[in-house]
Short mmCIF file of all heavy atoms in Angstrom, two decimals:
data_model
loop_
_atom_site.label_atom_id
_atom_site.label_comp_id
_atom_site.label_asym_id
_atom_site.label_seq_id
_atom_site.Cartn_x
_atom_site.Cartn_y
_atom_site.Cartn_z
N CYS A 163 -10.42 7.91 -8.14
CA CYS A 163 -11.38 6.81 -8.26
C CYS A 163 -11.77 6.28 -6.88
O CYS A 163 -12.94 5.99 -6.62
CB CYS A 163 -10.80 5.67 -9.10
SG CYS A 163 -10.68 6.02 -10.86
N LEU A 164 -10.79 6.19 -5.98
CA LEU A 164 -11.07 5.74 -4.62
C LEU A 164 -11.79 6.82 -3.84
O LEU A 164 -12.72 6.53 -3.07
CB LEU A 164 -9.76 5.34 -3.93
CG LEU A 164 -8.99 4.18 -4.56
CD1 LEU A 164 -7.65 3.98 -3.86
CD2 LEU A 164 -9.80 2.90 -4.53
N GLY A 165 -11.37 8.07 -4.02
CA GLY A 165 -12.01 9.17 -3.31
C GLY A 165 -13.49 9.28 -3.63
O GLY A 165 -14.32 9.55 -2.75
N LEU A 166 -13.86 9.07 -4.89
CA LEU A 166 -15.27 9.16 -5.29
C LEU A 166 -16.11 8.04 -4.69
O LEU A 166 -17.33 8.13 -4.66
CB LEU A 166 -15.37 9.13 -6.82
CG LEU A 166 -14.88 10.39 -7.53
CD1 LEU A 166 -14.82 10.17 -9.03
CD2 LEU A 166 -15.76 11.59 -7.18
N GLN A 167 -15.44 7.00 -4.19
CA GLN A 167 -16.15 5.92 -3.51
C GLN A 167 -16.17 6.12 -1.99
O GLN A 167 -16.59 5.24 -1.25
CB GLN A 167 -15.49 4.58 -3.83
CG GLN A 167 -15.55 4.19 -5.30
CD GLN A 167 -14.74 2.93 -5.58
OE1 GLN A 167 -15.10 1.83 -5.14
NE2 GLN A 167 -13.65 3.07 -6.32
N GLY A 168 -15.70 7.30 -1.54
CA GLY A 168 -15.75 7.61 -0.12
C GLY A 168 -14.67 6.94 0.70
O GLY A 168 -14.87 6.63 1.87
N VAL A 169 -13.48 6.75 0.12
CA VAL A 169 -12.41 6.08 0.84
C VAL A 169 -11.98 6.90 2.05
O VAL A 169 -11.92 8.13 2.02
CB VAL A 169 -11.21 5.82 -0.11
CG1 VAL A 169 -10.45 7.11 -0.44
CG2 VAL A 169 -10.27 4.77 0.47
N ASP A 170 -11.70 6.21 3.16
CA ASP A 170 -11.16 6.84 4.36
C ASP A 170 -9.64 6.69 4.42
O ASP A 170 -8.94 7.61 4.83
CB ASP A 170 -11.74 6.19 5.63
CG ASP A 170 -13.23 6.35 5.74
OD1 ASP A 170 -13.72 7.48 5.58
OD2 ASP A 170 -13.93 5.34 5.99
N LEU A 171 -9.15 5.53 4.03
CA LEU A 171 -7.73 5.20 4.14
C LEU A 171 -7.27 4.55 2.85
O LEU A 171 -7.86 3.56 2.40
CB LEU A 171 -7.49 4.24 5.31
CG LEU A 171 -6.09 3.62 5.43
CD1 LEU A 171 -5.04 4.70 5.74
CD2 LEU A 171 -6.06 2.53 6.49
N ILE A 172 -6.20 5.10 2.25
CA ILE A 172 -5.54 4.44 1.12
C ILE A 172 -4.24 3.84 1.62
O ILE A 172 -3.37 4.55 2.14
CB ILE A 172 -5.26 5.44 -0.03
CG1 ILE A 172 -6.57 6.00 -0.59
CG2 ILE A 172 -4.45 4.75 -1.14
CD1 ILE A 172 -6.37 7.06 -1.68
N ILE A 173 -4.12 2.54 1.48
CA ILE A 173 -2.88 1.83 1.79
C ILE A 173 -2.00 1.88 0.55
O ILE A 173 -2.42 1.47 -0.53
CB ILE A 173 -3.17 0.37 2.18
CG1 ILE A 173 -3.95 0.33 3.51
CG2 ILE A 173 -1.90 -0.46 2.26
CD1 ILE A 173 -4.48 -1.06 3.84
N ALA A 174 -0.78 2.39 0.69
CA ALA A 174 0.11 2.56 -0.46
C ALA A 174 1.52 2.10 -0.11
O ALA A 174 2.39 2.92 0.23
CB ALA A 174 0.12 4.00 -0.93
N PRO A 175 1.80 0.81 -0.16
CA PRO A 175 3.17 0.33 0.06
C PRO A 175 4.07 0.80 -1.08
O PRO A 175 3.63 0.92 -2.23
CB PRO A 175 3.01 -1.19 0.07
CG PRO A 175 1.79 -1.45 -0.74
CD PRO A 175 0.87 -0.29 -0.50
N THR A 176 5.34 1.05 -0.76
CA THR A 176 6.23 1.62 -1.76
C THR A 176 7.64 1.08 -1.60
O THR A 176 7.97 0.40 -0.62
CB THR A 176 6.19 3.16 -1.68
OG1 THR A 176 6.95 3.71 -2.74
CG2 THR A 176 6.74 3.66 -0.36
N ALA A 177 8.50 1.38 -2.58
CA ALA A 177 9.90 0.97 -2.58
C ALA A 177 10.72 2.08 -3.22
O ALA A 177 11.21 1.94 -4.33
CB ALA A 177 10.08 -0.35 -3.32
N ASN A 178 10.88 3.19 -2.50
CA ASN A 178 11.53 4.37 -3.05
C ASN A 178 12.97 4.51 -2.56
O ASN A 178 13.24 4.32 -1.37
CB ASN A 178 10.78 5.64 -2.63
CG ASN A 178 9.57 5.89 -3.50
OD1 ASN A 178 9.58 5.58 -4.68
ND2 ASN A 178 8.54 6.46 -2.91
N PRO A 179 13.88 4.91 -3.44
CA PRO A 179 15.23 5.28 -3.01
C PRO A 179 15.21 6.65 -2.34
O PRO A 179 14.23 7.40 -2.48
CB PRO A 179 16.02 5.31 -4.32
CG PRO A 179 14.99 5.66 -5.36
CD PRO A 179 13.71 5.01 -4.91
N PRO A 180 16.28 7.01 -1.63
CA PRO A 180 16.28 8.29 -0.89
C PRO A 180 16.08 9.51 -1.76
O PRO A 180 15.41 10.46 -1.36
CB PRO A 180 17.67 8.30 -0.23
CG PRO A 180 18.08 6.87 -0.16
CD PRO A 180 17.49 6.21 -1.36
N ASP A 181 16.62 9.50 -2.98
CA ASP A 181 16.58 10.73 -3.79
C ASP A 181 15.21 11.05 -4.37
O ASP A 181 14.99 12.16 -4.86
CB ASP A 181 17.62 10.64 -4.92
CG ASP A 181 17.37 9.46 -5.84
OD1 ASP A 181 16.98 8.38 -5.33
OD2 ASP A 181 17.57 9.58 -7.05
N LEU A 182 14.28 10.11 -4.31
CA LEU A 182 12.94 10.37 -4.84
C LEU A 182 11.95 10.75 -3.76
O LEU A 182 10.81 11.14 -4.07
CB LEU A 182 12.40 9.13 -5.57
CG LEU A 182 13.07 8.74 -6.89
CD1 LEU A 182 12.38 7.51 -7.47
CD2 LEU A 182 13.03 9.88 -7.87
N TYR A 183 12.36 10.68 -2.50
CA TYR A 183 11.36 10.73 -1.44
C TYR A 183 10.61 12.06 -1.40
O TYR A 183 9.38 12.09 -1.36
CB TYR A 183 11.95 10.44 -0.06
CG TYR A 183 10.85 10.45 0.96
CD1 TYR A 183 9.99 9.36 1.07
CD2 TYR A 183 10.58 11.59 1.70
CE1 TYR A 183 8.92 9.39 1.93
CE2 TYR A 183 9.50 11.62 2.56
CZ TYR A 183 8.68 10.52 2.68
OH TYR A 183 7.61 10.54 3.52
N GLU A 184 11.30 13.20 -1.38
CA GLU A 184 10.62 14.47 -1.18
C GLU A 184 9.63 14.76 -2.30
O GLU A 184 8.52 15.24 -2.07
CB GLU A 184 11.64 15.61 -1.05
CG GLU A 184 12.35 15.64 0.29
CD GLU A 184 11.39 15.76 1.48
OE1 GLU A 184 10.32 16.40 1.34
OE2 GLU A 184 11.71 15.23 2.55
N ARG A 185 10.01 14.42 -3.53
CA ARG A 185 9.09 14.63 -4.65
C ARG A 185 7.84 13.77 -4.48
O ARG A 185 6.71 14.24 -4.64
CB ARG A 185 9.80 14.28 -5.97
CG ARG A 185 8.98 14.59 -7.21
CD ARG A 185 9.53 13.90 -8.44
NE ARG A 185 9.27 12.47 -8.41
CZ ARG A 185 9.64 11.63 -9.38
NH1 ARG A 185 10.30 12.07 -10.41
NH2 ARG A 185 9.36 10.35 -9.29
N ASN A 186 8.05 12.50 -4.15
CA ASN A 186 6.92 11.59 -4.03
C ASN A 186 6.05 11.94 -2.83
O ASN A 186 4.82 11.83 -2.88
CB ASN A 186 7.41 10.16 -3.94
CG ASN A 186 7.99 9.68 -5.26
OD1 ASN A 186 7.90 10.37 -6.27
ND2 ASN A 186 8.61 8.52 -5.25
N TYR A 187 6.69 12.38 -1.73
CA TYR A 187 5.92 12.78 -0.56
C TYR A 187 4.97 13.92 -0.91
O TYR A 187 3.81 13.94 -0.48
CB TYR A 187 6.84 13.20 0.58
CG TYR A 187 6.11 13.92 1.69
CD1 TYR A 187 5.30 13.20 2.56
CD2 TYR A 187 6.19 15.30 1.83
CE1 TYR A 187 4.59 13.85 3.56
CE2 TYR A 187 5.49 15.95 2.81
CZ TYR A 187 4.69 15.23 3.68
OH TYR A 187 3.99 15.88 4.66
N SER A 188 5.44 14.87 -1.70
CA SER A 188 4.59 16.01 -2.08
C SER A 188 3.37 15.53 -2.85
O SER A 188 2.25 16.03 -2.65
CB SER A 188 5.39 16.99 -2.94
OG SER A 188 6.46 17.54 -2.22
N MET A 189 3.55 14.53 -3.71
CA MET A 189 2.42 14.02 -4.48
C MET A 189 1.45 13.24 -3.60
O MET A 189 0.23 13.35 -3.76
CB MET A 189 2.92 13.17 -5.65
CG MET A 189 3.50 14.01 -6.76
SD MET A 189 3.96 13.09 -8.23
CE MET A 189 5.51 12.40 -7.71
N VAL A 190 1.98 12.46 -2.68
CA VAL A 190 1.11 11.70 -1.78
C VAL A 190 0.29 12.65 -0.92
O VAL A 190 -0.91 12.45 -0.70
CB VAL A 190 1.95 10.74 -0.91
CG1 VAL A 190 1.10 10.12 0.20
CG2 VAL A 190 2.55 9.63 -1.77
N LYS A 191 0.94 13.70 -0.41
CA LYS A 191 0.21 14.69 0.39
C LYS A 191 -0.89 15.33 -0.45
O LYS A 191 -2.02 15.53 0.05
CB LYS A 191 1.19 15.77 0.88
CG LYS A 191 0.54 16.80 1.78
CD LYS A 191 0.07 16.17 3.07
CE LYS A 191 -0.60 17.19 3.98
NZ LYS A 191 -1.12 16.56 5.21
N ALA A 192 -0.60 15.63 -1.70
CA ALA A 192 -1.62 16.21 -2.58
C ALA A 192 -2.79 15.26 -2.77
O ALA A 192 -3.96 15.68 -2.76
CB ALA A 192 -1.01 16.57 -3.93
N ARG A 193 -2.52 13.96 -2.94
CA ARG A 193 -3.59 12.99 -3.10
C ARG A 193 -4.49 12.94 -1.86
O ARG A 193 -5.71 12.80 -1.96
CB ARG A 193 -3.02 11.58 -3.36
CG ARG A 193 -2.13 11.41 -4.56
CD ARG A 193 -2.83 11.59 -5.89
NE ARG A 193 -2.79 12.96 -6.34
CZ ARG A 193 -1.76 13.51 -7.01
NH1 ARG A 193 -0.70 12.78 -7.31
NH2 ARG A 193 -1.82 14.75 -7.41
N ALA A 194 -3.89 13.06 -0.67
CA ALA A 194 -4.68 13.05 0.57
C ALA A 194 -5.57 14.28 0.65
O ALA A 194 -6.73 14.20 1.06
CB ALA A 194 -3.75 12.97 1.78
N ILE A 195 -5.04 15.43 0.26
CA ILE A 195 -5.82 16.67 0.28
C ILE A 195 -6.95 16.61 -0.74
O ILE A 195 -8.11 16.91 -0.43
CB ILE A 195 -4.91 17.88 0.00
CG1 ILE A 195 -3.90 18.07 1.15
CG2 ILE A 195 -5.74 19.15 -0.18
CD1 ILE A 195 -2.80 19.06 0.84
N GLU A 196 -6.62 16.22 -1.97
CA GLU A 196 -7.61 16.19 -3.05
C GLU A 196 -8.79 15.29 -2.73
O GLU A 196 -9.93 15.58 -3.12
CB GLU A 196 -6.96 15.68 -4.33
CG GLU A 196 -5.93 16.59 -4.95
CD GLU A 196 -5.06 15.86 -5.96
OE1 GLU A 196 -5.13 14.62 -6.05
OE2 GLU A 196 -4.30 16.56 -6.66
N ASN A 197 -8.52 14.18 -2.05
CA ASN A 197 -9.54 13.17 -1.82
C ASN A 197 -10.00 13.09 -0.37
O ASN A 197 -10.79 12.21 -0.02
CB ASN A 197 -9.02 11.81 -2.32
CG ASN A 197 -8.75 11.85 -3.81
OD1 ASN A 197 -9.69 11.93 -4.61
ND2 ASN A 197 -7.48 11.83 -4.19
N VAL A 198 -9.53 14.01 0.44
CA VAL A 198 -9.95 14.17 1.84
C VAL A 198 -9.92 12.81 2.55
O VAL A 198 -10.92 12.32 3.07
CB VAL A 198 -11.35 14.82 1.93
CG1 VAL A 198 -11.58 15.38 3.33
CG2 VAL A 198 -11.52 15.90 0.91
N CYS A 199 -8.73 12.21 2.54
CA CYS A 199 -8.56 10.90 3.14
C CYS A 199 -7.17 10.81 3.76
O CYS A 199 -6.36 11.73 3.65
CB CYS A 199 -8.73 9.80 2.09
SG CYS A 199 -7.45 9.78 0.81
N THR A 200 -6.91 9.70 4.43
CA THR A 200 -5.59 9.41 4.97
C THR A 200 -4.89 8.43 4.05
O THR A 200 -5.52 7.50 3.53
CB THR A 200 -5.71 8.81 6.39
OG1 THR A 200 -6.32 9.79 7.25
CG2 THR A 200 -4.35 8.44 6.95
N ILE A 201 -3.58 8.62 3.84
CA ILE A 201 -2.78 7.71 3.03
C ILE A 201 -1.64 7.18 3.88
O ILE A 201 -0.88 7.96 4.47
CB ILE A 201 -2.24 8.38 1.77
CG1 ILE A 201 -3.39 8.90 0.89
CG2 ILE A 201 -1.36 7.42 0.98
CD1 ILE A 201 -2.97 9.58 -0.39
N ALA A 202 -1.51 5.87 3.94
CA ALA A 202 -0.38 5.21 4.60
C ALA A 202 0.62 4.82 3.53
O ALA A 202 0.41 3.84 2.80
CB ALA A 202 -0.85 3.99 5.39
N TYR A 203 1.69 5.59 3.42
CA TYR A 203 2.71 5.44 2.37
C TYR A 203 3.91 4.79 3.04
O TYR A 203 4.72 5.46 3.70
CB TYR A 203 3.03 6.82 1.83
CG TYR A 203 3.85 6.89 0.57
CD1 TYR A 203 3.36 6.40 -0.64
CD2 TYR A 203 5.09 7.51 0.57
CE1 TYR A 203 4.09 6.52 -1.80
CE2 TYR A 203 5.83 7.63 -0.60
CZ TYR A 203 5.32 7.13 -1.79
OH TYR A 203 6.06 7.25 -2.94
N VAL A 204 4.02 3.47 2.90
CA VAL A 204 4.93 2.67 3.73
C VAL A 204 6.11 2.19 2.89
O VAL A 204 5.95 1.35 1.99
CB VAL A 204 4.19 1.47 4.35
CG1 VAL A 204 5.10 0.72 5.32
CG2 VAL A 204 2.93 1.95 5.07
N ASN A 205 7.28 2.74 3.18
CA ASN A 205 8.47 2.48 2.35
C ASN A 205 9.35 1.40 2.97
O ASN A 205 9.34 1.15 4.18
CB ASN A 205 9.27 3.77 2.19
CG ASN A 205 10.25 3.73 1.03
OD1 ASN A 205 10.17 2.86 0.15
ND2 ASN A 205 11.19 4.66 1.01
N ARG A 206 10.16 0.81 2.09
CA ARG A 206 11.21 -0.11 2.53
C ARG A 206 12.38 0.71 3.08
O ARG A 206 12.49 1.93 2.83
CB ARG A 206 11.70 -0.95 1.35
CG ARG A 206 10.60 -1.69 0.62
CD ARG A 206 11.16 -2.41 -0.60
NE ARG A 206 12.00 -3.53 -0.19
CZ ARG A 206 11.54 -4.75 0.04
NH1 ARG A 206 10.27 -5.03 -0.12
NH2 ARG A 206 12.36 -5.71 0.40
N CYS A 207 13.28 0.06 3.79
CA CYS A 207 14.50 0.72 4.25
C CYS A 207 15.68 -0.24 4.07
O CYS A 207 15.49 -1.42 3.77
CB CYS A 207 14.38 1.17 5.71
SG CYS A 207 14.25 -0.18 6.91
N GLY A 208 16.88 0.29 4.27
CA GLY A 208 18.07 -0.53 4.15
C GLY A 208 18.49 -0.76 2.72
O GLY A 208 17.97 -0.14 1.78
N GLU A 209 19.43 -1.66 2.53
CA GLU A 209 19.99 -1.95 1.21
C GLU A 209 19.58 -3.35 0.76
O GLU A 209 19.52 -4.28 1.56
CB GLU A 209 21.51 -1.85 1.25
CG GLU A 209 22.18 -2.02 -0.11
CD GLU A 209 23.68 -1.87 -0.05
OE1 GLU A 209 24.14 -0.77 0.31
OE2 GLU A 209 24.39 -2.85 -0.33
N GLU A 210 19.32 -3.47 -0.54
CA GLU A 210 18.94 -4.77 -1.10
C GLU A 210 19.66 -4.95 -2.43
O GLU A 210 19.37 -4.24 -3.39
CB GLU A 210 17.42 -4.81 -1.28
CG GLU A 210 16.88 -6.16 -1.68
CD GLU A 210 15.36 -6.14 -1.75
OE1 GLU A 210 14.72 -6.09 -0.68
OE2 GLU A 210 14.81 -6.15 -2.87
#
Side-chain angles (χ1 to χ4, degrees):
C163 287
L164 298 174
L166 289 171
Q167 296 174 68
V169 72
D170 298 311
L171 171 66
I172 297 177
I173 294 170
T176 186
N178 279 327
D181 59 322
L182 291 181
Y183 183 77
E184 285 302 328
R185 186 195 73 180
N186 290 352
Y187 167 74
S188 297
M189 285 186 281
V190 170
K191 183 65 181 177
R193 302 293 91 84
I195 294 169
E196 292 164 350
N197 298 291
V198 198
C199 67
T200 298
I201 300 180
Y203 192 65
V204 186
N205 198 15
R206 306 176 70 89
C207 66
E209 185 178 297
E210 188 176 288

